[in-house]
Amino acid sequence: TALGKRCFGLMLLIFALPNAIPLPIPGVSTLTSLPLIFFSAQLALGRENVWLPQWLAKRSIAGNSLKLFLLRAIPWLARLEKVVKPRAESIGGRSSHRIAGGLILLLACLIALPIPFGNLPLGIAMTVLAPGITERDGWVMISGWLLTVFALVYFLFLIAGYGWLLWQALGLVS
């Protein structure tokens, strides 16, 4: 609540980041895709602030846990803010946020699929778009859009490759 409009980018970053790191932990992408879908759909629909169900909105984080998280996160956020800052704001405006929300929604739906080697480019694209949303940085937003195109092309070729391998395997059996 305290973050207001900046909450979308932060929430998307928190859940996109594990997908941008090559973790060999099965199920992480499916688990993180659900909140990504939830938040990005709200952003794509043009909501001003994040909406949470009442049962979740009433919950809070323990002060010690929040303090520990902030102590670890603040140095990283400070480094990020040196690179990502409000610029080209006509590109990083409200309509761009809706486009980015739609793209992240698409990427989050794809990341939920159990496709080996398919998540990293999708996660990187989402991780670049999220700070662009938070900081209203048009140049970072454009970079995220380009990475999204690359990730979608990569994913398409990956699926086509798996389809070809399956076709070949079935052709050998018959």
Side-chain angles (χ1 to χ4, degrees):
T1 303
L3 292 172
K5 293 178 183 178
R6 295 174 62 125
C7 188
F8 277 114
L10 181 61
M11 296 309 288
L12 292 169
L13 181 62
I14 288 170
F15 291 106
L17 199 55
N19 296 298
I21 302 168
L23 295 173
I25 303 170
V28 168
S29 61
T30 303
L31 185 64
T32 58
S33 69
L34 297 175
L36 284 167
I37 290 169
F38 180 75
F39 293 121
S40 63
Q42 290 183 47
L43 185 60
L45 291 171
R47 285 196 57 89
E48 290 281 330
N49 296 308
V50 170
W51 174 84
L52 293 173
Q54 193 66 23
W55 62 270
L56 187 58
K58 286 182 178 181
R59 300 190 55 93
S60 63
I61 300 171
N64 290 339
S65 299
L66 183 60
K67 183 178 178 182
L68 182 63
F69 172 76
L70 289 175
L71 286 174
R72 290 183 180 169
I74 286 175
W76 291 100
L77 291 174
R79 289 182 195 141
L80 183 64
E81 285 194 343
K82 288 181 182 177
V83 178
V84 183
K85 51 191 161 219
R87 57 187 162 187
E89 292 184 47
S90 61
I91 299 168
R94 185 161 162 69
S95 61
S96 297
H97 289 188
R98 292 185 75 175
I99 293 168
L103 292 174
I104 292 173
L105 178 60
L106 173 63
L107 295 172
C109 288
L110 293 175
I111 227 166
L113 302 172
I115 307 294
F117 308 111
N119 296 345
L120 188 62
L122 304 173
I124 291 170
M126 289 188 291
T127 302
V128 170
L129 283 168
I133 293 166
T134 301
E135 293 295 327
R136 298 189 180 281
D137 190 333
W139 294 117
V140 171
M141 195 76 77
I142 289 172
S143 300
W145 293 340
L146 293 173
L147 284 169
T148 298
V149 170
F150 169 78
L152 291 173
V153 169
Y154 170 85
F155 197 81
L156 180 66
F157 276 102
L158 185 67
I159 295 298
Y162 285 143
W164 182 82
L165 287 174
L166 182 62
W167 183 267
Q168 294 300 314
L170 292 175
L172 295 174
V173 174
S174 303

